[in-house]
Amino acid sequence: MGFQTLYSVPMTDPILVPLRFERRDGEEMLAAASAFRQELEARRSVRSFSTDPIPEGVIEECLRAAGSAPSGANLQPWSFVVVSEPSLKRRIREAAEVEERENYEWRMGEAWLRDLEAFGTDENKPFLEDAPVLIVVFRQAYGLDDEEKRKHYYVMESVGIATGFLLAALHKAGLATLTHTPSPMGFLEGILERSENERAYLLIPVGYPADGCKVPDITRKPYEDFVDER
Ligand code: IYR
């Protein structure tokens, strides 16, 4: 049948192609799962970056990995802006620090500041200039092709998954990242001249850790505390 009708919406048949998939035996599967788990467990958020540049092409490969993520109706409701221009990084740092000063002075409140004590964060964000690259993730609240608005589905979920792919790819490539959320983040839409459908989602400084970089001594929840097996 050429098309079906659902209520009054004409539906075209999907074009299906064979799935590329190779089955692994159990041992190989477990080894792969364990190696990947160990690799991801070693990832840490870094707040002091070297200014050393990133080898050509690596960021592009990682962004292509992010762009392969599943999304609502495959509408891929994301954009990634790669910022390496020093004057642009400086503007982003200055604008982020304006917001963060307010956050630390009065917006976050006592309990939040106490929760952050172990991380030693404050309103100063030198990593926004030191890191050779800032990747700014935008979510597209709706589509805007040819000036036509189009509904996007599960935008937060889709962009979250793509961002997870990106963080994993950058880590696997050998780069350090920080998942930074200066808030509110609206200044990024202005500085980076995004169109009206785009909202800043996450700011990711990327590069190498500074010499002697230290990170907070954190632990992860025991498996049993976050997984319920039935
Ligand atoms: N956005 C602020 C505060 C902050 C909040 C949380 I929750 C963190 O996990 C880390 C920081 C900042 O970037 O300093």
Side-chain angles (χ1 to χ4, degrees):
M1 222 210 291
F3 68 88
Q4 301 156 282
T5 303
L6 177 66
Y7 303 107
S8 60
V9 185
M11 312 266 290
T12 47
D13 284 336
I15 298 165
L16 300 176
V17 293
L19 172 71
R20 280 194 296 161
F21 187 95
E22 271 176 40
R23 266 186 188 243
R24 290 177 167 163
D25 66 37
E27 211 174 300
E28 194 188 353
M29 193 184 282
L30 185 56
S34 177
F36 194 60
R37 188 260 304 169
Q38 285 177 51
E39 194 146 0
L40 283 187
E41 272 182 358
R43 184 200 164 273
R44 294 299 311 269
S45 284
V46 158
R47 289 188 171 78
S48 37
F49 282 85
S50 154
T51 58
D52 290 349
I54 296 167
E56 196 69 34
V58 177
I59 295 289
E60 177 175 335
E61 284 301 317
C62 296
L63 287 167
R64 288 182 186 279
S68 73
S71 61
N74 190 36
L75 291 176
Q76 304 161 60
W78 48 65
S79 307
F80 300 87
V81 180
V82 183
V83 181
S84 50
E85 222 272 300
S87 65
L88 207 45
K89 288 195 292 176
R90 176 182 295 255
R91 284 179 63 199
I92 290 172
R93 174 184 179 175
E94 284 170 357
E97 287 180 341
V98 166
E99 295 296 355
E100 290 298 308
R101 222 165 280 131
E102 307 264 329
N103 288 336
Y104 281 88
E105 268 170 24
W106 60 273
R107 283 201 289 233
M108 292 199 292
E110 242 172 75
W112 193 343
L113 290 176
R114 210 171 318 113
D115 279 339
L116 287 181
E117 266 170 18
F119 302 92
T121 58
D122 61 25
E123 66 275 30
N124 300 305
K125 306 298 177 195
F127 51 75
L128 292 175
E129 282 192 84
D130 294 340
V133 165
L134 307 177
I135 300 179
V136 189
V137 185
F138 289 90
R139 65 179 167 93
Q140 297 176 342
Y142 50 90
L144 206 52
D145 293 336
D146 307 322
E147 314 278 300
E148 282 277 310
K149 276 195 185 185
R150 178 175 191 181
K151 185 162 168 49
H152 278 171
Y153 311 94
Y154 303 103
V155 171
M156 284 296 188
E157 293 84 347
S158 302
V159 180
I161 294 166
T163 301
F165 275 32
L166 176 62
L167 292 169
L170 290 164
H171 175 69
K172 180 94 182 162
L175 289 166
T177 51
L178 174 65
T179 47
H180 182 40
T181 50
S183 60
M185 274 200 278
F187 65 88
L188 291 164
E189 295 145 28
I191 292 176
L192 299 174
E193 302 171 321
R194 305 313 296 169
S195 55
E196 65 176 50
N197 61 329
E198 296 200 336
R199 315 269 185 275
Y201 178 87
L202 192 65
L203 173 45
I204 310 175
V206 186
Y208 298 95
D211 286 345
C213 176
K214 291 201 168 131
V215 291
D217 187 15
I218 58 162
T219 53
R220 269 90 183 220
K221 276 185 186 175
Y223 179 80
E224 298 70 28
D225 289 6
F226 67 93
V227 178
D228 185 0
E229 293 181 358
R230 286 161 193 253

